[in-house]
Amino acid sequence: MSTPPPPSEGLSLAAVAPIVETRILVDTVEIFRPGPEVLDPDTGEYHPGPDEVVYTGPGAMFAAGGPGLVLSLEGQAYADDTRNRYRLLTPLDAPLASREDFVRVIAATQDGGLLNRVWRVLDISDANSLAVVRTTWLDESTQTATNPEPTVAAVEA
């Protein structure tokens, strides 16, 4: 059995994290939970309440393959939409997202197509013994495209 090198040799994960956070986590993301419905006393109808924001800060979105295909057996009920898997990367000090939380990109540095879209958290964020960033698996819940104005946050060189 070999002896591991002393901490002063090699590159540590702690040294890599700031590089990843400044070079990869370039968008601003928001993890939120829909707020409880609120009764409108004038109309007697319930409306969505304000979202409970869990996290706002640096992050990055990555597609995890193309849309999945939902197959059905004759006579069996199925959801007729595709599964669009994504990965959200956030700093390790960001709070864990919970199943059924939602994510939106509120400032995009490269791809304006990330704006005006919402993703649903599929499971609690990953936690690992050796990690540089936190990974959260998502499914896109936006089903119609909106073409935002071509404005993205300026990238500072």
Side-chain angles (χ1 to χ4, degrees), residues 15-120:
V16 173
I19 297 167
V20 170
E21 288 180 14
T22 57
R23 300 288 183 190
I24 296 176
L25 306 182
V26 295
D27 296 327
T28 303
V29 300
E30 190 172 78
I31 300 172
F32 66 96
R33 297 179 180 132
E37 291 189 333
V38 178
L39 177 64
D40 181 342
D42 296 333
T43 64
E45 296 178 358
Y46 282 95
H47 299 282
D51 296 331
E52 175 191 340
V53 176
V54 177
Y55 170 76
T56 301
M61 299 292 292
F62 292 95
L69 189 59
V70 179
L71 299 176
S72 67
L73 298 173
E74 186 176 344
Q76 299 296 313
Y78 71 101
D80 65 350
D81 61 340
T82 60
R83 310 244 340 140
N84 297 316
R85 299 277 309 249
Y86 281 78
R87 287 176 297 148
L88 167 67
L89 303 181
T90 53
L92 289 175
D93 60 356
L96 294 171
S98 295
R99 182 177 290 149
E100 302 301 328
D101 283 352
F102 290 89
V103 175
R104 61 184 152 230
V105 176
I106 58 176
T109 58
Q110 298 290 320
D111 186 355
L114 291 170
L115 301 171
N116 300 320
R117 294 167 86 169
V118 176
W119 292 265
R120 180 177 56 92

